[in-house]
Amino acid sequence: MILSNGLGKALQHFNTCEFEKTLKDRAYQIELHLNKLIPPKPNTIEETITETMRYALLNGGKKVRAYLSMESCRIYGINIKTALQVGSAIECMHSYSLVHDDLPAMDNDELRRGLPTVHVKWDEATAILTGDALQCKAFEILSMEETHSDSDKRSKLIQTMALAAGVDGMVSGQNADIQAENQTNHINIDGIVNLQNYKTGALIRWSALTGPLLANQDHTIMETYANCLGLAFQIQDDILDVEGNVNNTGKMTHKDQKAGKGTFISILGLDEAKRKAYSLIEQSCDVVTQIGPRSSELIKLALFVISRNN
Ligand code: GRG
């Protein structure tokens, strides 16, 4: 087992480039599938928003959530056709959140994945509509018969995604994050953990739970894994905001401090934030190891989360 000598050793031997190649291959597979689900619509009323949706979805991005959901499906014996549908749906939901997050009313970002954001390349109204359409597309994909022959399963996927993305999940996390600006001194570590469990954690958790949900299996292990992974993912994002640069992240950095945002780093400091991410990844690996050898890709994903520089 990859972790038999502890996380430090596993990280030393972890080949980040090799895993990035695995992620890229999976991202390519998902992009091909999304390309079929959202083909160009030249000379129609749908032409513009279809183009902007494709721009937001098909121009890079690690597709980590698709990877996680597809692995979860594989581990729990769910077929590849379903996994591709589920992975495509979560990437539509994730891309919607990024397009809206980049808007001037939110994070006001001009660069995403190394390219102009949708509202910069087109305009704000187009970006709002692009996000709206991507969100609807996510639910449409889950509702398709190709996703699962059992309508109860499809309905459960739709319901859990609505809970993860809406007021019970990402939207409330995003709202709390906006409120946390200029609150560096007021928000404490528990507040940040709670906020991030909603903002970044909810879609990561949904992705991890698709396998057990579709296989009617207990989801405790995957949920604990995803909770730790989601927080570590966010801490690494905060670290990249401080230590990264536009060339590797594809977006502007050093934004959190300028915005006076309460983050893991503003509260814990850089070194302690790194220790916290490390310990969360240790926990996520420990728990997922209980699944047995089938969990090896999820362990690699966890190692990638704290090794990544983009
Ligand atoms: C607008 C309702 C609404 C929510 C937005 C996800 C989000 C909530 C905001 C994004 C802000 C942000 C940078 C969060 C940190 C974690 C995160 C989601 C990073 C971006 O995800 P990656 O690294 O991006 O998976 P790629 O480009 O690889 O898809």
Side-chain angles (χ1 to χ4, degrees):
M1 182 54 58
I2 195 162
L3 272 188
S4 51
N5 292 320
L7 182 60
K9 276 270 180 305
L11 277 169
Q12 263 174 26
H13 292 107
F14 178 58
N15 188 334
T16 313
C17 293
E18 197 178 295
F19 188 72
E20 269 169 351
K21 164 95 178 55
T22 307
L23 261 188
K24 275 206 176 98
D25 290 347
R26 187 64 60 83
Y28 181 67
Q29 200 184 10
I30 279 286
E31 291 201 1
L32 283 181
H33 198 67
L34 282 165
N35 193 42
K36 279 193 223 144
L37 288 166
I38 313 174
K41 298 262 180 90
N43 308 316
T44 66
I45 193 167
E46 299 103 305
E47 178 172 8
T48 303
I49 299 300
T50 305
E51 188 189 342
T52 57
M53 290 165 83
R54 289 170 56 86
Y55 179 84
L57 270 173
L58 304 177
N59 279 311
K62 298 178 290 299
K63 309 278 188 286
V64 160
R65 292 153 193 81
Y67 186 83
L68 178 54
S69 61
M70 290 180 75
E71 264 312 297
S72 174
C73 285
R74 190 187 62 78
I75 288 170
Y76 285 86
I78 306 302
N79 69 53
I80 181 73
K81 202 169 116 197
T82 296
L84 278 168
Q85 290 282 107
V86 161
S88 298
I90 191 66
E91 287 300 326
C92 287
M93 187 58 79
H94 169 59
S95 289
Y96 130 70
S97 79
L98 297 182
V99 172
H100 279 195
D101 182 64
D102 290 336
L103 283 164
M106 299 219 191
D107 241 16
N108 197 14
D109 272 306
E110 299 193 344
L111 206 60
R112 167 76 59 190
R113 299 171 176 165
L115 291 171
T117 44
V118 176
H119 70 274
V120 167
K121 193 165 163 72
W122 283 271
D123 53 49
E124 278 184 51
T126 308
I128 292 169
L129 295 172
T130 303
D132 294 343
L134 283 166
Q135 185 180 166
C136 293
K137 188 56 78 176
F139 290 117
E140 182 196 330
I141 294 170
L142 294 181
S143 75
M144 291 164 73
E145 239 184 278
E146 288 87 328
T147 298
H148 204 286
S149 54
D150 181 346
S151 59
D152 285 348
K153 294 269 167 63
R154 301 201 296 271
S155 166
K156 200 76 193 148
L157 286 171
I158 292 167
Q159 184 197 25
T160 51
M161 181 180 270
L163 289 167
V167 67
D168 298 295
M170 181 174 67
V171 164
S172 290
Q174 175 76 347
N175 184 49
D177 195 40
I178 292 167
Q179 308 303 323
E181 283 195 14
N182 300 314
Q183 292 268 318
T184 318
N185 297 325
H186 305 294
I187 192 154
N188 61 19
I189 188 69
D190 292 341
I192 288 284
V193 167
N194 191 37
L195 182 166
Q196 298 302 353
N197 269 328
Y198 280 70
K199 189 184 102 171
T200 309
L203 293 196
I204 290 182
R205 200 159 37 246
W206 185 89
S207 307
L209 295 189
T210 49
L213 182 151
L214 290 167
N216 287 330
Q217 297 280 319
D218 183 81
H219 59 249
T220 319
I221 290 177
M222 290 302 281
E223 188 164 13
T224 310
Y225 168 81
N227 285 339
C228 296
L229 189 83
L231 281 178
F233 190 90
Q234 179 62 50
I235 296 175
Q236 188 68 15
D237 212 71
D238 293 350
I239 293 169
L240 288 173
D241 186 66
V242 174
E243 293 190 333
N245 62 62
V246 66
N247 294 327
N248 53 37
T249 62
K251 59 184 181 183
M252 299 314 287
T253 49
H254 304 98
K255 291 195 67 187
D256 293 342
Q257 201 183 4
K258 275 189 215 144
K261 203 178 242 187
T263 66
F264 283 101
I265 294 179
S266 72
I267 292 168
L268 299 175
L270 188 58
D271 289 344
E272 191 53 33
K274 283 182 181 174
R275 272 193 287 276
K276 173 122 186 117
Y278 185 97
S279 138
L280 284 161
I281 289 305
E282 213 161 27
Q283 280 176 58
S284 71
C285 290
D286 277 351
V287 71
V288 87
T289 302
Q290 292 171 33
I291 296 178
R294 286 174 304 157
S295 67
S296 64
E297 290 305 303
L298 293 183
I299 290 176
K300 288 184 197 163
L301 177 63
L303 298 179
F304 170 74
V305 159
I306 48 168
S307 318
R308 71 191 176 102
N309 71 354
N310 67 354

